[in-house]
Amino acid sequence: VYIIKVTWSNGCTEVIYRRYSKFFDLQMQMLDKFPMEGGQKDPKQRIIPFLPGKILFRRSHIRDVAVKRLIPIDEYCKALIQLPPYISQCEEVLQFFETRPDDLTPPKE
C-alpha cells in the first residue's frame, strides 16, 4: 500500500492509500479511454506516462518490490497531473485521487 499526499487546486490536502493494483487499474482505464494519447495508433504520439507492469513474486519479496516501485509511482503521478486537463482532470483520475472511506482508517502496517 502506498501513501499519497494529494493537494487539490483549492489548496486542500488529503492523504490517501492505494495498492499498486489500483494504479494498474487506473492505467488500463486511461489507455482504454485515450487510445491516441496512449500511443495505440502511433507510439510517438503517446503522452500518457508508462507504469511498470504487474510482477509475480514470492510473499517474502513484497516489501522489496514495493520499495522499487516507489519512484516510478511518484513519477507516474506527477506526469499524470501534468497532462492536458481533458486527461488530468477526467473522471477516472479525479476518482482515483479522491478520499475513499477506507482512507479514513489507514492500514496498520
Side-chain angles (χ1 to χ4, degrees):
V1 175
Y2 295 91
I3 302 168
I4 306 152
K5 181 180 177 184
V6 178
T7 304
W8 295 98
S9 57
N10 65 3
C12 178
T13 61
E14 299 169 339
V15 174
I16 63 171
Y17 303 86
R18 297 290 179 270
R19 294 187 176 280
Y20 187 80
S21 61
K22 296 301 176 193
F23 282 97
F24 192 79
D25 293 345
L26 174 64
Q27 178 72 347
M28 294 298 99
Q29 289 176 333
M30 300 304 292
L31 294 174
D32 285 344
K33 185 169 184 164
F34 304 106
M36 290 290 271
E37 294 83 348
Q40 287 182 20
K41 301 257 193 272
D42 180 2
K44 293 180 189 132
Q45 298 290 321
R46 183 177 181 135
I47 60 171
I48 292 178
F50 285 94
L51 183 69
K54 291 183 178 180
I55 302 171
L56 295 176
F57 49 86
R58 292 191 305 268
R59 204 121 176 97
S60 61
H61 292 102
I62 290 174
R63 183 165 179 76
D64 293 342
V65 171
V67 169
K68 284 180 187 166
R69 286 179 171 164
L70 196 54
I71 291 173
I73 285 178
D74 183 53
E75 291 171 351
Y76 177 80
C77 290
K78 288 176 180 173
L80 192 61
I81 63 170
Q82 294 298 318
L83 292 174
Y86 74 96
I87 299 175
S88 64
Q89 296 174 29
C90 75
E91 193 63 30
E92 291 82 356
V93 172
L94 295 177
Q95 283 181 354
F96 180 82
F97 288 107
E98 281 179 351
T99 303
R100 299 177 183 164
D102 51 337
D103 292 324
L104 303 176
T105 53
K108 300 273 187 269
E109 295 180 27

Short mmCIF file of all heavy atoms in Angstrom, two decimals, residues 7-55:
data_model
loop_
_atom_site.label_atom_id
_atom_site.label_comp_id
_atom_site.label_asym_id
_atom_site.label_seq_id
_atom_site.Cartn_x
_atom_site.Cartn_y
_atom_site.Cartn_z
N THR A 7 -2.72 17.17 -3.06
CA THR A 7 -3.00 18.59 -2.88
C THR A 7 -3.88 19.02 -4.04
O THR A 7 -3.46 18.96 -5.20
CB THR A 7 -1.70 19.42 -2.85
OG1 THR A 7 -0.85 18.91 -1.82
CG2 THR A 7 -2.01 20.89 -2.59
N TRP A 8 -5.09 19.45 -3.72
CA TRP A 8 -6.05 19.87 -4.74
C TRP A 8 -5.78 21.33 -5.12
O TRP A 8 -5.07 22.06 -4.42
CB TRP A 8 -7.47 19.70 -4.22
CG TRP A 8 -7.80 18.25 -3.99
CD1 TRP A 8 -7.76 17.59 -2.81
CD2 TRP A 8 -8.18 17.28 -4.96
NE1 TRP A 8 -8.11 16.26 -2.98
CE2 TRP A 8 -8.37 16.05 -4.29
CE3 TRP A 8 -8.40 17.33 -6.34
CZ2 TRP A 8 -8.76 14.88 -4.96
CZ3 TRP A 8 -8.79 16.17 -6.99
CH2 TRP A 8 -8.96 14.97 -6.31
N SER A 9 -6.34 21.77 -6.22
CA SER A 9 -6.12 23.13 -6.72
C SER A 9 -6.61 24.20 -5.75
O SER A 9 -6.12 25.33 -5.78
CB SER A 9 -6.78 23.32 -8.09
OG SER A 9 -8.17 23.04 -8.00
N ASN A 10 -7.53 23.84 -4.85
CA ASN A 10 -8.02 24.82 -3.87
C ASN A 10 -7.12 24.88 -2.62
O ASN A 10 -7.43 25.57 -1.66
CB ASN A 10 -9.47 24.52 -3.47
CG ASN A 10 -9.62 23.20 -2.73
OD1 ASN A 10 -8.66 22.49 -2.45
ND2 ASN A 10 -10.86 22.87 -2.42
N GLY A 11 -6.02 24.12 -2.63
CA GLY A 11 -5.08 24.14 -1.52
C GLY A 11 -5.34 23.08 -0.47
O GLY A 11 -4.52 22.85 0.42
N CYS A 12 -6.48 22.40 -0.55
CA CYS A 12 -6.83 21.35 0.40
C CYS A 12 -5.90 20.15 0.19
O CYS A 12 -5.63 19.76 -0.94
CB CYS A 12 -8.29 20.94 0.18
SG CYS A 12 -8.86 19.62 1.24
N THR A 13 -5.40 19.59 1.29
CA THR A 13 -4.56 18.40 1.17
C THR A 13 -5.20 17.23 1.92
O THR A 13 -5.86 17.42 2.93
CB THR A 13 -3.13 18.63 1.73
OG1 THR A 13 -3.23 18.94 3.10
CG2 THR A 13 -2.42 19.73 0.98
N GLU A 14 -5.00 16.06 1.38
CA GLU A 14 -5.53 14.82 1.96
C GLU A 14 -4.49 13.73 1.79
O GLU A 14 -3.64 13.81 0.91
CB GLU A 14 -6.82 14.41 1.24
CG GLU A 14 -7.93 15.42 1.34
CD GLU A 14 -9.09 15.12 0.40
OE1 GLU A 14 -8.90 14.40 -0.59
OE2 GLU A 14 -10.18 15.63 0.67
N VAL A 15 -4.57 12.73 2.61
CA VAL A 15 -3.70 11.56 2.48
C VAL A 15 -4.58 10.38 2.08
O VAL A 15 -5.62 10.14 2.70
CB VAL A 15 -2.95 11.27 3.80
CG1 VAL A 15 -2.16 9.97 3.69
CG2 VAL A 15 -2.03 12.43 4.15
N ILE A 16 -4.15 9.70 1.02
CA ILE A 16 -4.89 8.53 0.55
C ILE A 16 -3.94 7.33 0.52
O ILE A 16 -2.72 7.50 0.52
CB ILE A 16 -5.54 8.76 -0.83
CG1 ILE A 16 -4.48 9.02 -1.90
CG2 ILE A 16 -6.56 9.88 -0.77
CD1 ILE A 16 -5.03 9.04 -3.32
N TYR A 17 -4.52 6.15 0.48
CA TYR A 17 -3.75 4.91 0.46
C TYR A 17 -4.21 4.09 -0.73
O TYR A 17 -5.39 3.83 -0.88
CB TYR A 17 -4.00 4.12 1.76
CG TYR A 17 -3.66 4.93 2.99
CD1 TYR A 17 -4.60 5.80 3.55
CD2 TYR A 17 -2.40 4.85 3.56
CE1 TYR A 17 -4.29 6.56 4.66
CE2 TYR A 17 -2.08 5.62 4.68
CZ TYR A 17 -3.03 6.47 5.22
OH TYR A 17 -2.72 7.24 6.31
N ARG A 18 -3.25 3.71 -1.59
CA ARG A 18 -3.61 2.94 -2.78
C ARG A 18 -2.65 1.78 -2.98
O ARG A 18 -1.44 1.92 -2.83
CB ARG A 18 -3.56 3.82 -4.05
CG ARG A 18 -4.55 4.97 -4.07
CD ARG A 18 -5.98 4.49 -4.21
NE ARG A 18 -6.90 5.59 -4.21
CZ ARG A 18 -7.48 6.10 -3.12
NH1 ARG A 18 -7.24 5.58 -1.94
NH2 ARG A 18 -8.31 7.11 -3.21
N ARG A 19 -3.21 0.66 -3.33
CA ARG A 19 -2.40 -0.52 -3.68
C ARG A 19 -1.90 -0.36 -5.12
O ARG A 19 -2.51 0.35 -5.93
CB ARG A 19 -3.24 -1.79 -3.58
CG ARG A 19 -3.68 -2.09 -2.17
CD ARG A 19 -4.36 -3.45 -2.08
NE ARG A 19 -4.68 -3.73 -0.70
CZ ARG A 19 -3.81 -4.19 0.19
NH1 ARG A 19 -2.56 -4.40 -0.18
NH2 ARG A 19 -4.16 -4.42 1.44
N TYR A 20 -0.83 -1.06 -5.42
CA TYR A 20 -0.28 -0.99 -6.78
C TYR A 20 -1.33 -1.42 -7.80
O TYR A 20 -1.42 -0.85 -8.88
CB TYR A 20 0.98 -1.86 -6.90
CG TYR A 20 1.64 -1.66 -8.23
CD1 TYR A 20 2.45 -0.56 -8.46
CD2 TYR A 20 1.40 -2.52 -9.29
CE1 TYR A 20 3.03 -0.34 -9.69
CE2 TYR A 20 1.98 -2.32 -10.52
CZ TYR A 20 2.79 -1.22 -10.72
OH TYR A 20 3.36 -1.00 -11.94
N SER A 21 -2.13 -2.40 -7.44
CA SER A 21 -3.15 -2.90 -8.38
C SER A 21 -4.12 -1.78 -8.78
O SER A 21 -4.63 -1.77 -9.90
CB SER A 21 -3.91 -4.08 -7.79
OG SER A 21 -4.58 -3.70 -6.61
N LYS A 22 -4.37 -0.83 -7.89
CA LYS A 22 -5.27 0.28 -8.21
C LYS A 22 -4.62 1.24 -9.21
O LYS A 22 -5.29 1.80 -10.08
CB LYS A 22 -5.70 1.04 -6.95
CG LYS A 22 -6.51 0.18 -5.99
CD LYS A 22 -7.77 -0.35 -6.66
CE LYS A 22 -8.54 -1.27 -5.76
NZ LYS A 22 -9.57 -2.02 -6.47
N PHE A 23 -3.30 1.44 -9.08
CA PHE A 23 -2.59 2.24 -10.08
C PHE A 23 -2.67 1.55 -11.43
O PHE A 23 -2.88 2.19 -12.45
CB PHE A 23 -1.10 2.41 -9.70
CG PHE A 23 -0.87 3.42 -8.63
CD1 PHE A 23 -0.73 3.03 -7.31
CD2 PHE A 23 -0.77 4.77 -8.93
CE1 PHE A 23 -0.51 3.95 -6.31
CE2 PHE A 23 -0.54 5.70 -7.94
CZ PHE A 23 -0.41 5.29 -6.63
N PHE A 24 -2.48 0.25 -11.43
CA PHE A 24 -2.53 -0.52 -12.67
C PHE A 24 -3.91 -0.43 -13.30
O PHE A 24 -4.03 -0.25 -14.51
CB PHE A 24 -2.13 -1.97 -12.38
CG PHE A 24 -1.87 -2.77 -13.61
CD1 PHE A 24 -0.67 -2.66 -14.29
CD2 PHE A 24 -2.84 -3.63 -14.12
CE1 PHE A 24 -0.43 -3.39 -15.46
CE2 PHE A 24 -2.61 -4.36 -15.27
CZ PHE A 24 -1.40 -4.24 -15.94
N ASP A 25 -4.97 -0.53 -12.46
CA ASP A 25 -6.34 -0.40 -12.97
C ASP A 25 -6.56 0.97 -13.60
O ASP A 25 -7.17 1.08 -14.67
CB ASP A 25 -7.36 -0.62 -11.86
CG ASP A 25 -7.37 -2.05 -11.33
OD1 ASP A 25 -6.80 -2.95 -11.99
OD2 ASP A 25 -7.95 -2.25 -10.24
N LEU A 26 -6.07 2.02 -12.93
CA LEU A 26 -6.19 3.38 -13.48
C LEU A 26 -5.48 3.46 -14.83
O LEU A 26 -6.01 4.03 -15.78
CB LEU A 26 -5.61 4.41 -12.51
CG LEU A 26 -5.55 5.85 -13.04
CD1 LEU A 26 -6.95 6.40 -13.31
CD2 LEU A 26 -4.79 6.75 -12.06
N GLN A 27 -4.29 2.90 -14.90
CA GLN A 27 -3.52 2.93 -16.15
C GLN A 27 -4.30 2.28 -17.29
O GLN A 27 -4.37 2.81 -18.40
CB GLN A 27 -2.17 2.24 -15.94
CG GLN A 27 -1.31 2.16 -17.17
CD GLN A 27 -0.71 3.48 -17.58
OE1 GLN A 27 -1.09 4.54 -17.11
NE2 GLN A 27 0.24 3.43 -18.49
N MET A 28 -4.91 1.14 -17.02
CA MET A 28 -5.68 0.44 -18.04
C MET A 28 -6.90 1.28 -18.47
O MET A 28 -7.21 1.36 -19.66
CB MET A 28 -6.15 -0.93 -17.54
CG MET A 28 -5.03 -1.92 -17.28
SD MET A 28 -4.08 -2.33 -18.77
CE MET A 28 -2.66 -1.29 -18.60
N GLN A 29 -7.55 1.94 -17.52
CA GLN A 29 -8.69 2.81 -17.84
C GLN A 29 -8.23 3.97 -18.73
O GLN A 29 -8.92 4.33 -19.69
CB GLN A 29 -9.30 3.38 -16.56
CG GLN A 29 -10.05 2.39 -15.73
CD GLN A 29 -10.55 3.00 -14.43
OE1 GLN A 29 -9.97 3.95 -13.89
NE2 GLN A 29 -11.64 2.46 -13.90
N MET A 30 -7.07 4.55 -18.42
CA MET A 30 -6.57 5.69 -19.19
C MET A 30 -6.24 5.27 -20.63
O MET A 30 -6.56 5.98 -21.57
CB MET A 30 -5.32 6.28 -18.52
CG MET A 30 -5.54 6.78 -17.10
SD MET A 30 -6.85 7.99 -16.95
CE MET A 30 -6.14 9.34 -17.81
N LEU A 31 -5.61 4.12 -20.76
CA LEU A 31 -5.25 3.65 -22.10
C LEU A 31 -6.49 3.30 -22.92
O LEU A 31 -6.50 3.51 -24.14
CB LEU A 31 -4.30 2.45 -21.99
CG LEU A 31 -2.92 2.76 -21.40
CD1 LEU A 31 -2.11 1.48 -21.22
CD2 LEU A 31 -2.16 3.79 -22.22
N ASP A 32 -7.53 2.78 -22.27
CA ASP A 32 -8.78 2.49 -22.97
C ASP A 32 -9.51 3.77 -23.38
O ASP A 32 -10.03 3.87 -24.48
CB ASP A 32 -9.72 1.65 -22.10
CG ASP A 32 -9.28 0.20 -22.00
OD1 ASP A 32 -8.44 -0.24 -22.81
OD2 ASP A 32 -9.78 -0.49 -21.09
N LYS A 33 -9.53 4.73 -22.48
CA LYS A 33 -10.28 5.97 -22.72
C LYS A 33 -9.57 6.89 -23.72
O LYS A 33 -10.22 7.60 -24.48
CB LYS A 33 -10.50 6.70 -21.40
CG LYS A 33 -11.37 7.93 -21.53
CD LYS A 33 -11.78 8.48 -20.19
CE LYS A 33 -12.73 9.64 -20.37
NZ LYS A 33 -13.44 9.98 -19.13
N PHE A 34 -8.25 6.88 -23.70
CA PHE A 34 -7.46 7.78 -24.55
C PHE A 34 -6.46 6.97 -25.40
O PHE A 34 -5.25 7.02 -25.17
CB PHE A 34 -6.71 8.80 -23.68
CG PHE A 34 -7.59 9.61 -22.79
CD1 PHE A 34 -7.62 9.38 -21.42
CD2 PHE A 34 -8.40 10.62 -23.30
CE1 PHE A 34 -8.44 10.13 -20.58
CE2 PHE A 34 -9.22 11.37 -22.47
CZ PHE A 34 -9.24 11.12 -21.11
N PRO A 35 -6.97 6.22 -26.39
CA PRO A 35 -6.07 5.37 -27.18
C PRO A 35 -5.00 6.15 -27.95
O PRO A 35 -3.86 5.69 -28.05
CB PRO A 35 -7.00 4.60 -28.11
CG PRO A 35 -8.29 5.38 -28.11
CD PRO A 35 -8.36 6.10 -26.81
N MET A 36 -5.36 7.31 -28.48
CA MET A 36 -4.36 8.11 -29.23
C MET A 36 -3.24 8.56 -28.29
O MET A 36 -2.06 8.42 -28.59
CB MET A 36 -5.02 9.34 -29.88
CG MET A 36 -5.94 9.01 -31.01
SD MET A 36 -5.04 8.41 -32.44
CE MET A 36 -4.70 9.96 -33.24
N GLU A 37 -3.65 9.10 -27.12
CA GLU A 37 -2.68 9.61 -26.16
C GLU A 37 -1.90 8.48 -25.51
O GLU A 37 -0.82 8.69 -24.94
CB GLU A 37 -3.39 10.43 -25.08
CG GLU A 37 -4.03 11.70 -25.59
CD GLU A 37 -5.42 11.52 -26.23
OE1 GLU A 37 -5.83 10.37 -26.49
OE2 GLU A 37 -6.08 12.54 -26.46
N GLY A 38 -2.45 7.26 -25.59
CA GLY A 38 -1.77 6.09 -25.07
C GLY A 38 -0.83 5.45 -26.08
O GLY A 38 -0.17 4.47 -25.78
N GLY A 39 -0.79 6.01 -27.29
CA GLY A 39 0.13 5.55 -28.32
C GLY A 39 -0.30 4.27 -29.02
O GLY A 39 0.52 3.61 -29.64
N GLN A 40 -1.59 3.94 -29.00
CA GLN A 40 -2.03 2.70 -29.63
C GLN A 40 -1.91 2.75 -31.15
O GLN A 40 -1.60 1.76 -31.78
CB GLN A 40 -3.46 2.36 -29.21
CG GLN A 40 -3.53 1.87 -27.78
CD GLN A 40 -4.94 1.48 -27.37
OE1 GLN A 40 -5.80 1.23 -28.21
NE2 GLN A 40 -5.18 1.45 -26.08
N LYS A 41 -2.17 3.91 -31.74
CA LYS A 41 -2.05 4.06 -33.20
C LYS A 41 -0.61 4.38 -33.60
O LYS A 41 -0.07 3.81 -34.53
CB LYS A 41 -2.98 5.17 -33.69
CG LYS A 41 -4.45 4.95 -33.38
CD LYS A 41 -5.19 4.49 -34.59
CE LYS A 41 -6.68 4.55 -34.40
NZ LYS A 41 -7.26 3.37 -33.82
N ASP A 42 -0.01 5.30 -32.86
CA ASP A 42 1.36 5.73 -33.15
C ASP A 42 2.10 5.92 -31.83
O ASP A 42 1.81 6.87 -31.09
CB ASP A 42 1.33 7.04 -33.94
CG ASP A 42 2.72 7.55 -34.29
OD1 ASP A 42 3.71 6.88 -33.95
OD2 ASP A 42 2.80 8.63 -34.91
N PRO A 43 3.02 5.03 -31.51
CA PRO A 43 3.74 5.12 -30.23
C PRO A 43 4.42 6.48 -30.00
O PRO A 43 4.60 6.90 -28.86
CB PRO A 43 4.77 4.01 -30.32
CG PRO A 43 4.19 3.02 -31.28
CD PRO A 43 3.41 3.86 -32.27
N LYS A 44 4.75 7.19 -31.07
CA LYS A 44 5.39 8.50 -30.92
C LYS A 44 4.43 9.55 -30.39
O LYS A 44 4.85 10.58 -29.88
CB LYS A 44 5.96 8.97 -32.27
CG LYS A 44 7.11 8.13 -32.76
CD LYS A 44 7.62 8.65 -34.10
CE LYS A 44 8.62 7.67 -34.67
NZ LYS A 44 8.38 7.34 -36.05
N GLN A 45 3.13 9.28 -30.51
CA GLN A 45 2.10 10.21 -30.05
C GLN A 45 1.75 10.01 -28.56
O GLN A 45 0.96 10.77 -28.02
CB GLN A 45 0.82 10.04 -30.88
CG GLN A 45 0.99 10.35 -32.35
CD GLN A 45 1.20 11.82 -32.61
OE1 GLN A 45 0.58 12.65 -31.98
NE2 GLN A 45 2.11 12.13 -33.52
N ARG A 46 2.34 9.00 -27.95
CA ARG A 46 1.98 8.69 -26.55
C ARG A 46 2.38 9.81 -25.61
O ARG A 46 3.53 10.26 -25.60
CB ARG A 46 2.66 7.39 -26.10
CG ARG A 46 2.24 7.01 -24.69
CD ARG A 46 2.83 5.71 -24.24
NE ARG A 46 2.36 5.41 -22.89
CZ ARG A 46 1.92 4.23 -22.50
NH1 ARG A 46 1.89 3.23 -23.35
NH2 ARG A 46 1.53 4.06 -21.26
N ILE A 47 1.40 10.26 -24.81
CA ILE A 47 1.68 11.24 -23.76
C ILE A 47 1.30 10.70 -22.38
O ILE A 47 1.73 11.24 -21.36
CB ILE A 47 0.98 12.60 -24.01
CG1 ILE A 47 -0.53 12.45 -24.06
CG2 ILE A 47 1.53 13.27 -25.27
CD1 ILE A 47 -1.31 13.76 -24.09
N ILE A 48 0.51 9.63 -22.35
CA ILE A 48 0.16 9.01 -21.07
C ILE A 48 1.43 8.32 -20.56
O ILE A 48 2.06 7.56 -21.28
CB ILE A 48 -1.00 8.02 -21.23
CG1 ILE A 48 -2.28 8.80 -21.57
CG2 ILE A 48 -1.20 7.19 -19.95
CD1 ILE A 48 -3.50 7.96 -21.81
N PRO A 49 1.80 8.60 -19.31
CA PRO A 49 3.05 8.03 -18.79
C PRO A 49 2.99 6.51 -18.68
O PRO A 49 1.92 5.92 -18.59
CB PRO A 49 3.20 8.68 -17.41
CG PRO A 49 1.84 9.14 -17.03
CD PRO A 49 1.11 9.42 -18.31
N PHE A 50 4.17 5.91 -18.69
CA PHE A 50 4.27 4.47 -18.53
C PHE A 50 4.23 4.11 -17.05
O PHE A 50 4.67 4.89 -16.20
CB PHE A 50 5.59 3.95 -19.12
CG PHE A 50 5.59 3.93 -20.62
CD1 PHE A 50 6.10 5.00 -21.34
CD2 PHE A 50 5.07 2.84 -21.31
CE1 PHE A 50 6.09 4.98 -22.73
CE2 PHE A 50 5.06 2.83 -22.70
CZ PHE A 50 5.57 3.90 -23.41
N LEU A 51 3.69 2.96 -16.77
CA LEU A 51 3.66 2.43 -15.41
C LEU A 51 4.18 1.00 -15.51
O LEU A 51 3.71 0.24 -16.35
CB LEU A 51 2.23 2.43 -14.87
CG LEU A 51 2.06 1.98 -13.43
CD1 LEU A 51 2.65 3.01 -12.46
CD2 LEU A 51 0.59 1.78 -13.11
N PRO A 52 5.17 0.64 -14.69
CA PRO A 52 5.67 -0.74 -14.76
C PRO A 52 4.54 -1.74 -14.56
O PRO A 52 3.63 -1.50 -13.77
CB PRO A 52 6.66 -0.82 -13.60
CG PRO A 52 7.04 0.59 -13.30
CD PRO A 52 5.84 1.42 -13.67
N GLY A 53 4.58 -2.83 -15.29
CA GLY A 53 3.52 -3.83 -15.22
C GLY A 53 3.52 -4.62 -13.92
O GLY A 53 4.39 -4.45 -13.07
N LYS A 54 2.53 -5.48 -13.80
CA LYS A 54 2.43 -6.33 -12.62
C LYS A 54 3.57 -7.33 -12.62
O LYS A 54 4.03 -7.77 -13.67
CB LYS A 54 1.09 -7.06 -12.61
CG LYS A 54 -0.09 -6.15 -12.36
CD LYS A 54 -1.37 -6.96 -12.27
CE LYS A 54 -2.55 -6.07 -11.98
NZ LYS A 54 -3.79 -6.82 -11.90
N ILE A 55 4.00 -7.70 -11.43
CA ILE A 55 5.09 -8.66 -11.26
C ILE A 55 4.60 -9.78 -10.36
O ILE A 55 3.95 -9.52 -9.35
CB ILE A 55 6.32 -7.99 -10.57
CG1 ILE A 55 6.82 -6.79 -11.36
CG2 ILE A 55 7.43 -9.00 -10.35
CD1 ILE A 55 7.87 -5.98 -10.62
#
